[in-house]
Amino acid sequence: MTEIPKESKVDPRITKKLREIVGEKNATAAKHIRYAYSYDMSFVKPKLPDYVVMAETVEQIQELMRFANLEKIPVIPYTAGTNIGGLCIPERGGILLDLKKMNKIIKIDAESHYAVIEPGVSHGQLAEALYAHKLRFGWPVGPPSASVSSCAINHGIGGLNARYGLNSQEITSMEVVLPTGELVRVGSCAIVEDAWHSTLPLPKLDGLFKGWLGGTGIVTKLGISVHPIPPFLKVFTVSCDNVEDMYSYMLNLSNYEICDDLTAVSWWLAQVPIPYPYREKPDGQPEWFSFANTNSFTQKEKEAREEIWEMVVDEEKNKGTSLKVTQYPEEALRARTQLPSQIVGSTKNYCKMAGAGISWPGTFTPANKWAPVYTEWKKVLIGHNLSPSVRMSMYRGVHYGMLRAMIPFNKQSVDETENARRAIVECLKIDLDHGGIPYKPPVDFGNEINKRAHPGYLMLLRRVKQMLDPNDIMNPGKLAI
Amino acid sequence: MEWKISSLKDLEHYFWRCTACGTCRSAYDFGPPPITRPICPAGTEFGFEGYYSSKGKAAFARGISDGSLTFDDPEFLEAIYKCTVCGGCQNQCQVDYKPHIPEVIEAMRREAVKNGAGPMPAQKNLVQSMKNYNNPYQGPRRVRLDWTRPFKKAKTPIKDINVEPAEVLFYVGCTGAFNKIAQAVPQATARIFQKLGIDFGILGESEVCCGSTAMRVGDAEEFKRVATTNLEAFRTLHSEKGVKTIVTSCAGCFRAIKKDYILSSEYNQMMDGIEVLHTVQYLHRLLKDGKLKFEKQLPWKVTYHDPCHTGRHLNKFRVDKDGSELWEGAYVGVDESECLYDLPREIIKAIPGVSFVEMDRIRGNSYCCGGGGGVMTGFTDWAGKNAGLRIQEGMETGAEKMVSICPFCYFNLTEGSKRIGSAMTLHDLTELIDLALPD
Ligand SMILES: Cc1cc2nc3c(=O)[nH]c(=O)nc-3n(C[C@H](O)[C@H](O)[C@H](O)COP(=O)(O)OP(=O)(O)OC[C@H]3O[C@@H](n4cnc5c(N)ncnc54)[C@H](O)[C@@H]3O)c2cc1C
Ligand code: SF4
Ligand code: SF4
């Protein structure tokens, strides 16, 4: 049997006021509309919002926040709900604020290389607009219809992370409505209305709204850096028989900083789709594949990158590792290099076999802990009859990066969902104990983070949250503090 | 005659395969260049996730099956009918739910009808009219022949196949027969057939609705009644009047006969020896055989609108039935070879003088005119508004005229054009062919 969200209380007076703010058609308490926002693909239990509102202007959001703050009603910002962490599932009911109608690309400054977007702008939409200027951004390996800004403000990871950093590092300015309704700006646009190029050298107040899971305000405009598309693409693909050898190769190659994306995936993640339940890897197949995307402006630059890569491969082979130059499975390679991708977007390569459910222990972990953590994860996941479908990506100029296991499950079954949840939380604890930190964490993860947190950190977190959101109405409960 | 029409319960496994990833919200193609366009008329108009695409429809289906959502809520009932069943969302999805998406939408409606709640009041009239008159337009039977008046006047009457035998049955369809604007479609078709000397006949007053609208709004019983009558009539016409080919200019009828009638246990037996073709397929064959020769210049700048029913609704999905390929019920792939994407374009391009430009959303990603799934009857205003969006897209190509191959799209897009004050006119492909043929 599947999990059914519990009914909530709806007050017609509130619905009426919400309609006054955003218009008759844009606010509702209808059960069927609320139901469609009560769940996502993650293991997080479904919960109903009490109202759903679609805002179209910044002024509407301000008025809504003033009202919600007065009435102490929770507000949950939502763009596409694809965060894989139940982050838009209301912990305490309230108003689900759907921002997809605010989808204007306000500006593309092709000379200064930044764009200004509203929260509803999707990866697919921005990719099209930027391409007209031969520009690009770090597209995640996720749904093309999801929001660029929601990805960036929650420390999302795109396909240019090894070259330019995480998507949150690309943020250049922000306009935000505070939980109390005031409109604020951070970065250059705070000083000069139309200047969206940088958060520096001002105090980095953008940190007040990044990584807070929609808990400190509603971002209404976002400036982001955008980059030229170098015309020469070369993808280097190798395989290894074990995680240690793959780590050695990635560490070595990342020193030269020649890649846009340097990623390795386990055999299970390289399958389209990920096997569910767990299936043994066939004998003779390598356990790890890596793709290193490089983009160059000239043929000579491309050849120089090739030269470096060949040198690294030779060095690794000389060390006696199992590294082989191989073909990465074709469809899986397309899904990860032709971004945004409909193949991954529609979760074909993740949960087509399992059905409806997917969650992850997605973490930023020191690279020298990848191998030991993977080895332990593998035991836990196989023990729960789940595929150890793990990805490791090296971030820009550093030796830490993404370590995550994409775990599909059959969401129709409460038991199978719970089995996945247990395994994932267990994996998460292992990673935390090795110094990794989860991103876009569901509440279950938040609890584990906070258990280990320095008391001063928790105090500061509470204080900042209290300062910005005195009535704890912004996506309450998600930070697990 | 047994019919294998799925219930919502039968499809539960499939709507539980939806990940709620939202990829079905827009048509996206990597390119390069990448392109993203809205694909869901319901989501575009109503905005909330429940309305949006197959993701929203899976939510509704889950809500019905777990008892959270019931048809006694009139807003919910309306919501399941606020969908043109165009399949635009289906074209984007890649998981095992994909092959069953329109089926799930219609199964919810069947459930609503079974409960005595559905369809929408205006659609109830339509089904009642089918029961009374064998057509959804509340038109007395004799009106069915109104479109043939110019032929009588010109002393070129059309054969009544009940009386005289013919190899080709021209199955006109109710929209072409009863809708004044759409009558241009059967008229052009019949003129072409006469010019080419094709031996064809019509059922005239005895033609019975194909049942498409009843099926789309969830009245499976009424659909079965008319479909059974038609299958039996087709058999009789084959054995007694020598009918070998059924040609229709209506995308809805074509879709119904090709995709809904096959749900009958006796389809193969009834249709043995009978080929069902859309006019476009029939005429394209003649073009290839050199029998359709255009002589007149048509200096028109046109764009082409792919109707859902002659496009992606004709997709053939490969599903692993027994688990021998992937796993039981797995969506394996799609065969688009029966979708009428290339044929109309090839005919348009063969007409002398015509200059042809494409819109952004074409073929499998065509943007629905807004009239399907009972929406034109149930939510007339929205249908027209949505058609205006499509016309706008057509105008952006610089074309002056929009061509299509469905009387439903023809009518609704004409309404859309009027609504936005556009000078763009709608034309069935048969009208272009008729004009380009020698008299
Ligand atoms: C198959 C799959 C693969 C994925 N791969 C990746 C990947 O490679 N990298 C990656 O980064 N992500 C990935 N994701 C996650 C997700 O798709 C992206 O991060 C996406 O861009 C999030 O956008 P969304 O519109 O779905 O956000 P939502 O889920 O709607 O929102 C995310 C969070 O932001 C908050 N929020 C939304 N709007 C605002 C606002 N305006 N102001 C303040 N808070 C707000 C919400 O409350 C929520 O806490 C993947 C998802 C899937 C399903
Ligand atoms: S219907 Fe398909 S594309 Fe749409 S949300 Fe569900 S799984 Fe994703
Ligand atoms: S069938 Fe068409 S109108 Fe209905 S949900 Fe899908 S895309 Fe939208």
Side-chain angles (χ1 to χ4, degrees), chain A residues 164-178:
Chain A
Y164 300 114
L166 298 170
N167 289 9
S168 53
Q169 292 171 294
E170 297 276 52
I171 292 175
T172 58
S173 269
M174 279 176 162
E175 180 191 84
V176 185
V177 174
L178 296 184

Side-chain angles (χ1 to χ4, degrees), chain A residues 2 18 26 31 48 72 103 122 125 157 185 205 216 266 292 305 314 336 342 372 389 407 442 466 481:
Chain A
T2 53
L18 295 175
N26 287 338
K31 175 98 180 266
L48 284 166
K72 300 192 177 49
N103 65 353
S122 70
Q125 190 189 345
I157 298 120
R185 285 184 165 209
L205 291 178
T216 50
S266 70
R305 289 177 200 271
D314 284 345
R336 290 191 171 82
Q342 205 186 44
S389 28
I407 306 300
Q466 164 74 22
I481 43 174

Side-chain angles (χ1 to χ4, degrees), chain B residues 18-24 54-55 93 95 97:
Chain B
C18 167
T19 349
C21 71
T23 299
C24 46
S54 27
K55 174 190 174 187
C93 182
V95 303
Y97 174 35

